[in-house]
Amino acid sequence: MAAVRDNVFPTRMNLTVTKTRLKGAQTGHSLLKRKSEALTTRFRVIVRKIEDAKLKMGKVMQNASFSLAEVAYITGDISYQVRESAKHATFKVAAKQENVSGVLLPAFEADVQTGAGQFELTGLGRGGQQIQKARTVYITAVKTLVELASLQTAFVILDEVIKLTNRRVNAIEYVIIPRIENTVSYINSELDEQDREEFYRLKKIQGKKKERAAVALKELEEKARQAVEDGKLHGDSDEGTRDILAEHVDEDIIF
């Protein structure tokens, strides 16, 4: 199977452009690789926190259930009293964003407001201490739920981003960079072949010129030898010295 490469014309300019693309692809691969490593490190930290939060959640919900059972045993059903005493929300959740290597992760924070007059008369007859204890335990449970929700949301987002980043890293490493490298190798081989062809052509031209010069020199030597044999080269006859150049008259050239 032939190596996959880009369809480009092998020139010096395309070689420079392709090398620039190769450098950019290598830089991008390095940056994405480091981003993937940073996200993976944060992902593992979140996994450990989720495990701890779930273990904590089990204990907290167990205590909350026991506290509610104690309240129900001592005071009976107090749900209507709670509804009448609740004037505004005392437990709020604030959302913010955290930037991790360019990825925005949502983070939830619990905001507990102790309003004046809230649940002051609840359990006034009996069970007031158990009610306040149950309220405190359930606030802790809801805080743990908010923390767990924040960690779970970050877990899901990081999981998708890490998969996407790893796919990009693999695509650059195993598809884009090899293709650009094959293109650079192809352009270099074609340019080398052109240089060899040009060198061979110049060598052949030089050889032809040498052959023609040798033939012309041989003809001049032959003419000189013939002139010496005829006794006309040194002017021994009455006609004097023979001018070889004057004997040959070129025809006029009409432009």
Side-chain angles (χ1 to χ4, degrees), residues 71 75 78 122-123 126-136:
V71 171
T75 62
I78 61 170
T122 305
R126 56 179 178 173
Q129 183 178 0
Q130 283 75 18
I131 292 174
Q132 293 300 323
K133 179 182 176 182
R135 181 174 181 271
T136 303

Side-chain angles (χ1 to χ4, degrees), residues 72-116:
Y73 177 74
I74 295 174
T75 62
D77 187 12
I78 61 170
S79 59
Y80 66 94
Q81 297 180 9
V82 173
R83 286 194 296 269
E84 290 179 356
S85 301
K87 303 301 180 181
H88 58 271
T90 59
F91 192 98
K92 297 181 180 180
V93 178
K96 65 178 184 178
Q97 289 183 334
E98 184 180 2
N99 191 342
V100 180
S101 297
V103 180
L104 297 178
L105 298 178
F108 306 127
E109 292 182 352
D111 182 15
V112 181
Q113 299 176 357
T114 57

Side-chain angles (χ1 to χ4, degrees), residues 11-44:
T11 60
R12 302 285 179 185
M13 180 61 69
N14 286 335
L15 179 61
T16 303
V17 172
T18 307
K19 286 184 176 180
T20 303
R21 289 178 55 208
L22 178 60
K23 182 64 177 178
Q26 292 173 346
T27 304
H29 174 267
S30 177
L31 293 175
L32 285 176
K33 190 71 174 178
R34 284 186 286 180
K35 177 181 179 180
S36 176
E37 292 173 356
L39 293 177
T40 303
T41 302
R42 184 59 183 271
F43 182 78
R44 292 172 181 171

